[in-house]
Amino acid sequence: MRGAAAGITLVLALAGCSEGSTSGGGAGESRAADAPFNPSQLAQAIPSELAAPKGWKGDSPLVRDGSKLRKLCEQGARFSCAGLTSYGNSRYSTSGAFVDFELLAYDSVDNAKVGMKSMVADIHDGKPDAKPLTVDAGADETDAYADGNRPGVVLRVGTVVAFVFGETLPKDNDLQSFAKFQVQRINTAATGKNPDA
């Protein structure tokens, strides 16, 4: 429970956002993700220890669902909890850098759109001076920002909202590459396959 609280706290304590960008270019690719994810699919979509890039160490992913998730969300989050069915997070780290992945699965595309909209609004309110970034990861909706050396992006792929953010990311593992990596895992899990297979 403490891990889930820390993950949601990271969303709330996020270091910045910007005007960002929205893209529907990935709609064809992410149609399989329009169906609600069950907790086991979400667990597969979260970046695993096995999938960490060379030189990075992955933490064990955490998934929460059911009444514990609803209670945690209502007490600690400022984004929409309506229709939220499961939540997961994981982290990759290397010397002097980290990237966090947070996934929220909703019971419908409409609720996921509201979830993304409220998350982005909360981020914008927190850091109005952050600069917009262009990130093209093939998601249905994208909002990316840079706040010093802490870039982040909120992505919606069907019924799943992903928040990817890091600190001091190297050029060979930048925000764009991690965002694409996360979208690919969501799309693979949506088809019933394990992204680590």
Side-chain angles (χ1 to χ4, degrees):
M1 179 64 89
R2 184 168 57 194
I8 288 183
T9 299
L10 285 171
V11 173
L12 302 177
L14 163 70
C17 194
S18 71
E19 290 301 316
S21 62
T22 300
S23 168
E29 291 176 18
S30 39
R31 276 190 198 145
D34 285 350
F37 270 42
N38 60 48
S40 121
Q41 278 178 299
L42 193 76
Q44 290 179 334
I46 298 167
S48 66
E49 293 176 83
L50 264 170
K54 186 176 180 182
W56 290 74
K57 181 184 184 308
D59 290 347
S60 295
L62 170 84
V63 176
R64 288 286 183 264
D65 65 338
S67 60
K68 288 182 180 178
L69 168 66
R70 284 190 294 276
K71 185 175 179 183
L72 188 64
C73 187
E74 288 162 4
Q75 288 178 347
R78 289 181 290 173
F79 53 83
S80 175
C81 299
L84 184 64
T85 60
S86 53
Y87 165 87
N89 71 298
S90 67
R91 169 177 278 202
Y92 289 166
S93 56
T94 189
S95 67
F98 73 84
V99 60
D100 281 354
F101 304 90
E102 299 195 17
L103 296 185
L104 297 99
Y106 287 89
D107 60 2
S108 69
V109 169
D110 284 346
N111 279 335
K113 286 179 178 179
V114 172
M116 175 165 178
K117 184 177 179 181
S118 60
M119 180 186 288
V120 167
D122 184 63
I123 293 165
H124 283 246
D125 287 345
K127 291 288 182 180
D129 297 329
K131 303 203 180 322
L133 282 181
T134 299
V135 170
D136 183 4
D140 296 316
E141 292 184 87
T142 301
D143 190 281
Y145 67 90
D147 182 36
N149 66 348
R150 293 178 62 103
V153 60
V154 182
L155 308 152
R156 185 185 63 80
V157 184
T159 57
V160 177
V161 175
F163 177 34
V164 181
F165 65 100
E167 182 172 308
T168 323
L169 297 177
K171 288 182 181 176
D172 57 342
N173 293 116
D174 61 3
L175 184 67
Q176 169 94 14
S177 66
F178 280 123
K180 279 186 174 180
F181 168 70
Q182 178 62 90
V183 169
Q184 286 167 356
R185 289 186 70 89
I186 293 169
N187 282 324
T188 300
T191 65
K193 297 177 182 174
N194 187 334
D196 292 325

mmCIF file of all heavy atoms in Angstrom, residues 13 15 18 34 42 49 58 64 66 83 88 102 110 127 132-133 143 148 154:
data_model
loop_
_atom_site.group_PDB
_atom_site.id
_atom_site.type_symbol
_atom_site.label_atom_id
_atom_site.label_comp_id
_atom_site.label_asym_id
_atom_site.label_seq_id
_atom_site.Cartn_x
_atom_site.Cartn_y
_atom_site.Cartn_z
ATOM 1 N N ALA A 13 3.046 15.286 -6.973
ATOM 2 C CA ALA A 13 4.209 16.133 -6.724
ATOM 3 C C ALA A 13 5.020 16.345 -7.989
ATOM 4 O O ALA A 13 6.141 16.789 -7.945
ATOM 5 C CB ALA A 13 5.086 15.479 -5.661
ATOM 6 N N ALA A 15 6.992 17.348 -11.143
ATOM 7 C CA ALA A 15 7.750 18.593 -11.349
ATOM 8 C C ALA A 15 7.438 19.201 -12.701
ATOM 9 O O ALA A 15 8.265 19.197 -13.598
ATOM 10 C CB ALA A 15 9.233 18.319 -11.224
ATOM 11 N N SER A 18 3.355 21.624 -19.247
ATOM 12 C CA SER A 18 3.341 22.734 -20.180
ATOM 13 C C SER A 18 2.121 22.637 -21.055
ATOM 14 O O SER A 18 1.282 21.791 -20.869
ATOM 15 C CB SER A 18 4.586 22.656 -21.046
ATOM 16 O OG SER A 18 4.439 21.563 -21.916
ATOM 17 N N ASP A 34 -8.805 -0.114 -26.596
ATOM 18 C CA ASP A 34 -10.075 0.545 -26.294
ATOM 19 C C ASP A 34 -10.916 -0.275 -25.320
ATOM 20 O O ASP A 34 -11.801 0.257 -24.665
ATOM 21 C CB ASP A 34 -10.879 0.791 -27.580
ATOM 22 C CG ASP A 34 -10.302 1.942 -28.392
ATOM 23 O OD1 ASP A 34 -9.414 2.652 -27.881
ATOM 24 O OD2 ASP A 34 -10.726 2.121 -29.545
ATOM 25 N N LEU A 42 -2.710 -4.939 -17.073
ATOM 26 C CA LEU A 42 -1.996 -3.730 -16.660
ATOM 27 C C LEU A 42 -0.618 -4.092 -16.104
ATOM 28 O O LEU A 42 0.371 -3.420 -16.383
ATOM 29 C CB LEU A 42 -2.802 -2.948 -15.617
ATOM 30 C CG LEU A 42 -2.267 -1.532 -15.385
ATOM 31 C CD1 LEU A 42 -2.647 -0.615 -16.530
ATOM 32 C CD2 LEU A 42 -2.765 -0.965 -14.074
ATOM 33 N N GLU A 49 11.242 -5.402 -14.781
ATOM 34 C CA GLU A 49 12.686 -5.464 -14.527
ATOM 35 C C GLU A 49 13.406 -6.064 -15.734
ATOM 36 O O GLU A 49 14.480 -5.617 -16.121
ATOM 37 C CB GLU A 49 12.961 -6.313 -13.286
ATOM 38 C CG GLU A 49 12.450 -5.708 -11.992
ATOM 39 C CD GLU A 49 12.653 -6.633 -10.808
ATOM 40 O OE1 GLU A 49 13.771 -6.643 -10.257
ATOM 41 O OE2 GLU A 49 11.694 -7.351 -10.455
ATOM 42 N N GLY A 58 15.809 -2.116 -13.022
ATOM 43 C CA GLY A 58 14.369 -1.981 -12.867
ATOM 44 C C GLY A 58 13.894 -2.410 -11.489
ATOM 45 O O GLY A 58 14.411 -3.373 -10.925
ATOM 46 N N ARG A 64 -2.275 -2.130 -8.080
ATOM 47 C CA ARG A 64 -3.357 -2.078 -7.090
ATOM 48 C C ARG A 64 -4.687 -2.010 -7.834
ATOM 49 O O ARG A 64 -4.805 -1.352 -8.870
ATOM 50 C CB ARG A 64 -3.224 -0.838 -6.198
ATOM 51 C CG ARG A 64 -2.074 -0.932 -5.213
ATOM 52 C CD ARG A 64 -2.399 -1.896 -4.072
ATOM 53 N NE ARG A 64 -1.347 -1.949 -3.092
ATOM 54 C CZ ARG A 64 -0.384 -2.872 -3.068
ATOM 55 N NH1 ARG A 64 -0.324 -3.798 -4.001
ATOM 56 N NH2 ARG A 64 0.526 -2.869 -2.106
ATOM 57 N N GLY A 66 -9.347 -2.697 -7.110
ATOM 58 C CA GLY A 66 -10.420 -2.909 -6.146
ATOM 59 C C GLY A 66 -10.575 -1.781 -5.131
ATOM 60 O O GLY A 66 -10.220 -0.636 -5.375
ATOM 61 N N GLY A 83 -14.341 5.539 -12.664
ATOM 62 C CA GLY A 83 -14.078 4.467 -13.626
ATOM 63 C C GLY A 83 -12.681 3.884 -13.539
ATOM 64 O O GLY A 83 -12.314 3.016 -14.333
ATOM 65 N N GLY A 88 -0.822 0.999 -11.634
ATOM 66 C CA GLY A 88 0.475 0.344 -11.500
ATOM 67 C C GLY A 88 1.606 1.333 -11.673
ATOM 68 O O GLY A 88 1.440 2.378 -12.303
ATOM 69 N N GLU A 102 3.873 5.313 -14.560
ATOM 70 C CA GLU A 102 2.635 5.120 -13.814
ATOM 71 C C GLU A 102 1.515 4.879 -14.812
ATOM 72 O O GLU A 102 1.377 5.615 -15.785
ATOM 73 C CB GLU A 102 2.326 6.347 -12.953
ATOM 74 C CG GLU A 102 3.413 6.615 -11.937
ATOM 75 C CD GLU A 102 2.992 7.582 -10.857
ATOM 76 O OE1 GLU A 102 1.780 7.814 -10.700
ATOM 77 O OE2 GLU A 102 3.892 8.102 -10.182
ATOM 78 N N ASP A 110 -14.057 6.964 -22.575
ATOM 79 C CA ASP A 110 -14.518 8.271 -22.101
ATOM 80 C C ASP A 110 -13.962 8.600 -20.721
ATOM 81 O O ASP A 110 -13.514 9.721 -20.473
ATOM 82 C CB ASP A 110 -16.055 8.329 -22.072
ATOM 83 C CG ASP A 110 -16.643 8.494 -23.466
ATOM 84 O OD1 ASP A 110 -15.882 8.822 -24.407
ATOM 85 O OD2 ASP A 110 -17.859 8.276 -23.612
ATOM 86 N N LYS A 127 2.931 23.605 -12.275
ATOM 87 C CA LYS A 127 4.161 24.169 -12.827
ATOM 88 C C LYS A 127 3.852 24.945 -14.107
ATOM 89 O O LYS A 127 4.117 24.472 -15.215
ATOM 90 C CB LYS A 127 5.162 23.048 -13.134
ATOM 91 C CG LYS A 127 5.715 22.379 -11.893
ATOM 92 C CD LYS A 127 6.679 23.278 -11.162
ATOM 93 C CE LYS A 127 7.254 22.579 -9.944
ATOM 94 N NZ LYS A 127 8.180 23.415 -9.206
ATOM 95 N N PRO A 132 6.753 23.387 -23.218
ATOM 96 C CA PRO A 132 6.176 22.260 -23.951
ATOM 97 C C PRO A 132 7.247 21.470 -24.708
ATOM 98 O O PRO A 132 8.250 22.024 -25.143
ATOM 99 C CB PRO A 132 5.201 22.920 -24.923
ATOM 100 C CG PRO A 132 5.652 24.330 -25.049
ATOM 101 C CD PRO A 132 6.351 24.687 -23.780
ATOM 102 N N LEU A 133 7.006 20.177 -24.819
ATOM 103 C CA LEU A 133 7.862 19.296 -25.612
ATOM 104 C C LEU A 133 7.000 18.608 -26.657
ATOM 105 O O LEU A 133 5.811 18.385 -26.444
ATOM 106 C CB LEU A 133 8.476 18.199 -24.734
ATOM 107 C CG LEU A 133 9.652 18.518 -23.842
ATOM 108 C CD1 LEU A 133 10.067 17.251 -23.100
ATOM 109 C CD2 LEU A 133 10.824 19.067 -24.635
ATOM 110 N N ASP A 143 0.524 14.771 -23.924
ATOM 111 C CA ASP A 143 0.845 16.089 -23.389
ATOM 112 C C ASP A 143 2.221 15.977 -22.728
ATOM 113 O O ASP A 143 2.382 15.250 -21.750
ATOM 114 C CB ASP A 143 -0.194 16.540 -22.368
ATOM 115 C CG ASP A 143 0.002 18.003 -21.993
ATOM 116 O OD1 ASP A 143 0.894 18.299 -21.175
ATOM 117 O OD2 ASP A 143 -0.733 18.830 -22.538
ATOM 118 N N GLY A 148 13.307 22.006 -16.474
ATOM 119 C CA GLY A 148 14.724 21.814 -16.182
ATOM 120 C C GLY A 148 15.177 20.457 -16.687
ATOM 121 O O GLY A 148 14.974 20.113 -17.846
ATOM 122 N N VAL A 154 2.289 12.775 -20.385
ATOM 123 C CA VAL A 154 1.071 12.029 -20.092
ATOM 124 C C VAL A 154 0.548 11.522 -21.423
ATOM 125 O O VAL A 154 0.430 12.279 -22.396
ATOM 126 C CB VAL A 154 0.012 12.907 -19.392
ATOM 127 C CG1 VAL A 154 -1.226 12.085 -19.067
ATOM 128 C CG2 VAL A 154 0.579 13.539 -18.131
#
